[in-house]
Amino acid sequence: MKTPRQFRIGVELLQPFEGSSWTESARMLEDLGYSTLFVSDHFDEGYGPITGMAAAAAATSSLHVASAVFAPDFRHPAVLARELASIDLISQGRLEVGIGAGYTVSDFAATGITMDAPGIRVDRMIEYVAVLRGLFTAGPFSFDGTHYSITSLEGVPTPYTPGGPPILVAGGGKRMLTFAAKHADIIGVNTILATSEARAASTRDAVPSSIDEKLAWIREAAGKRFEDIEIHAWVQFAHVTKDSNSLVSELKHRFAASEEEVRSSPKVLVGDVSEIVDRMHALRDRWGYSYFTIQQEATFEFADVVARLSR
């Protein structure tokens, strides 16, 4: 039996910690033992992901940097591939490329970028990944798709990581997760969310029965490569506390589920340090989750969880 994958915890950093610069904040995450600094790709929050990742990578020596997550409609893949290869070189292989189909309505509405139907956005993302992969490899690359056309373009510079940095595909529906199972290195197993307007209702898709179904899709599509895939959870509710009952009681209405179902959801890590560590082990044992990302406000309270896992 294969040894369980080592736990990793990342933080989505939208701004520097109070009293610190961006690079100082990145070094804080590194010193606390966090695996990854995630930068969002929304127009109304955080630093620009390309600059944010590059600056954090240059200021640290072991911290990984990742996008959370790139929306294909905002950049041509040939343009992004060049920037990502450069960051991978700067970081000496500490870059992870998060990609989704794009779902935040306000990003499209405010910029005037057309927000196509979900199926078209997924089609575009699938081609996007193919172009990135092609440009991360040595030699001229050509691609003739519905959305992108590349003619004998050689990706320059060559990434530090052979074949290019690992790609994280985040999604919640069967088509997205089936594609990720065949092509991604890391899979962000999320709720089904066609647009941000359905965000509140989507929480109900994070109960154990739904996660069982999503992992079944992934396992079936991945086949033998499943063991090589890292399963990632975007933790929406993370809180270290000696009394988690009141929070869980409140969340059960949002999840439309029992308290035990809420506690068992990969979107929820609440309790004291021992409870949270035990819950992470349970999530890994049941579904394979070993990579967790928490929100910035939970960074310092979760430091003891990181320290416990490192031991």
Side-chain angles (χ1 to χ4, degrees), residues 151-173:
T151 305
S152 299
L153 177 63
E154 185 163 0
V156 176
T158 301
Y160 180 91
T161 305
I167 289 179
L168 183 161
V169 172

Side-chain angles (χ1 to χ4, degrees), residues 104-161:
T104 304
V105 173
S106 60
D107 285 334
F108 292 88
T111 59
I113 297 171
T114 300
M115 188 176 194
D116 290 317
I120 296 175
R121 282 183 276 127
V122 173
D123 289 341
R124 189 175 291 115
M125 186 212 71
I126 289 171
E127 290 193 10
Y128 206 88
V129 171
V131 173
L132 289 180
R133 292 279 198 202
L135 292 174
F136 286 153
T137 57
F141 171 72
S142 295
F143 184 85
D144 184 17
T146 301
H147 302 281
Y148 303 107
S149 179
I150 306 293
T151 305
S152 299
L153 177 63
E154 185 163 0
V156 176
T158 301
Y160 180 91
T161 305

Side-chain angles (χ1 to χ4, degrees), residues 2-270:
K2 188 173 181 178
T3 303
R5 189 181 289 272
Q6 184 175 352
F7 288 113
R8 295 204 288 154
I9 301 182
V11 175
E12 181 184 21
L13 203 66
L14 297 182
Q15 59 192 8
F17 295 118
E18 186 174 356
S20 300
S21 68
W22 179 259
T23 53
E24 289 169 341
S25 298
R27 287 192 287 268
M28 285 184 191
L29 292 183
E30 184 173 59
D31 291 342
L32 289 171
Y34 283 101
S35 164
T36 312
L37 185 159
F38 281 85
V39 188
S40 75
D41 192 24
H42 299 295
F43 290 107
D44 61 352
E45 64 181 19
Y47 280 35
I50 296 171
T51 301
M53 290 190 300
T60 56
S61 59
S62 62
L63 186 72
H64 287 230
V65 294
S67 52
V69 291
F70 284 125
D73 288 317
F74 302 160
R75 301 167 195 83
H76 192 283
V79 175
L80 185 62
R82 181 172 171 80
E83 299 294 336
L84 294 178
S86 300
I87 296 173
D88 197 50
L89 282 167
I90 289 169
S91 67
Q92 294 190 309
R94 290 182 285 124
L95 172 67
E96 298 168 13
V97 183
I99 299 176
Y103 75 97
T104 304
V105 173
S106 60
D107 285 334
F108 292 88
T111 59
I113 297 171
T114 300
M115 188 176 194
D116 290 317
I120 296 175
R121 282 183 276 127
V122 173
D123 289 341
R124 189 175 291 115
M125 186 212 71
I126 289 171
E127 290 193 10
Y128 206 88
V129 171
V131 173
L132 289 180
R133 292 279 198 202
L135 292 174
F136 286 153
T137 57
F141 171 72
S142 295
F143 184 85
D144 184 17
T146 301
H147 302 281
Y148 303 107
S149 179
I150 306 293
T151 305
S152 299
L153 177 63
E154 185 163 0
V156 176
T158 301
Y160 180 91
T161 305
I167 289 179
L168 183 161
V169 172
K174 185 173 184 179
R175 186 180 178 208
M176 284 282 287
L177 293 176
T178 297
F179 169 78
K182 297 177 180 179
H183 298 281
D185 304 289
I186 307 166
I187 301 180
V189 184
N190 297 341
T191 57
I192 294 176
L193 189 56
T195 76
S196 57
E197 294 175 336
R199 184 183 283 116
S202 74
T203 305
R204 299 178 180 181
D205 191 41
V207 296
S209 57
S210 291
I211 305 301
D212 281 339
E213 184 176 43
K214 294 175 194 292
L215 265 295
W217 295 336
I218 293 170
R219 286 181 179 275
E220 181 180 4
K224 292 182 179 179
R225 78 181 297 268
F226 180 79
E227 296 296 332
D228 298 323
I229 298 171
E230 195 167 21
I231 304 299
H232 175 270
W234 199 260
V235 183
Q236 188 174 358
F237 306 99
H239 185 42
V240 178
T241 174
K242 293 186 180 299
D243 180 18
S244 60
N245 292 333
S246 58
L247 176 58
V248 172
S249 180
E250 177 186 337
L251 289 177
K252 72 179 183 181
H253 301 293
R254 185 179 297 196
F255 279 74
S258 68
E259 291 190 7
E260 179 53 34
E261 287 177 312
V262 170
R263 289 185 184 276
S264 299
S265 171
K267 276 192 169 292
V268 179
L269 287 176
V270 296

